[in-house]
Amino acid sequence: PEWGSIKEQITHINVSLLVVAIFCFLAYYFLRCFLWQIILQAYSYSLPFKETAFLWGMSEVNRYIPGNIWSLLGRTMLFHKREVAKKDIASALLVEAQFVLIGAVVVSMVSVGFIFDKIFPGLWFTDFLQIIIYIAVFCISLLYVFQSEILTFLGKTPKGYLQHILPGFGSGVQI
């Protein structure tokens, strides 16, 4: 590593960028805790939000221990001590992964313009392609989130378990 460059970056901190980074981290933390609170309520558990946030945060600290499995095992252990069934925790982890994936896709849409400018520089229809991609991702996300309502409308039986909390959510991850 170039220690001189690293030392210079550490000694000349961009305060406004640091504030934005801290705000983004706090928003991420509270949104993920809120997601866990909703998922636990869907399974009829009533942990206080403060406790859910603490348990989720403690399990995330384990993510930095070598090996990817520790955050999942830590979350299972911590919530199981609060009498949340292991089966429900495993299902909740899968539901959380689905929501994180949808969120990542939505946030990554910001980069589409930059990617098109690099791949297709100067083409007149890149703005049109961007709009088509935005609309496609939006429609696919809506289809995914509201698939149980669509299935009901088509006369099929949805197999979701978060329908009373998030009407229409029928991803059907069941263990």
Side-chain angles (χ1 to χ4, degrees), residues 25-41:
F25 170 75
L26 290 174
Y28 165 80
Y29 177 78
F30 285 112
L31 286 173
R32 292 284 300 267
C33 294
F34 181 68
L35 175 64
W36 262 90
Q37 186 72 22
I38 289 174
I39 293 170
L40 289 174
Q41 287 174 352

Side-chain angles (χ1 to χ4, degrees), residues 59-63 67-76 93:
S59 70
E60 282 297 297
V61 169
N62 292 332
R63 177 183 301 255
N68 264 344
I69 195 75
W70 295 113
S71 67
L72 304 177
L73 292 176
R75 192 167 308 157
T76 303
L93 288 168

Side-chain angles (χ1 to χ4, degrees), residues 83-145:
E83 299 181 4
V84 177
K86 290 180 182 178
K87 178 181 174 184
D88 293 339
I89 297 168
S91 293
L93 288 168
L94 294 173
V95 170
E96 178 190 30
Q98 292 174 359
F99 277 106
V100 168
L101 179 63
I102 290 172
V105 168
V106 169
V107 169
S108 70
M109 294 310 298
V110 173
S111 68
V112 169
F114 300 114
I115 292 170
F116 275 12
D117 286 343
K118 291 293 182 188
I119 295 175
F120 307 115
L123 289 181
W124 61 270
F125 59 88
T126 57
D127 291 339
F128 178 71
L129 283 176
Q130 288 177 34
I131 291 170
I132 296 297
I133 289 175
Y134 292 146
I135 291 171
V137 167
F138 181 73
C139 289
I140 290 169
S141 297
L142 283 179
L143 286 173
Y144 181 75
V145 170

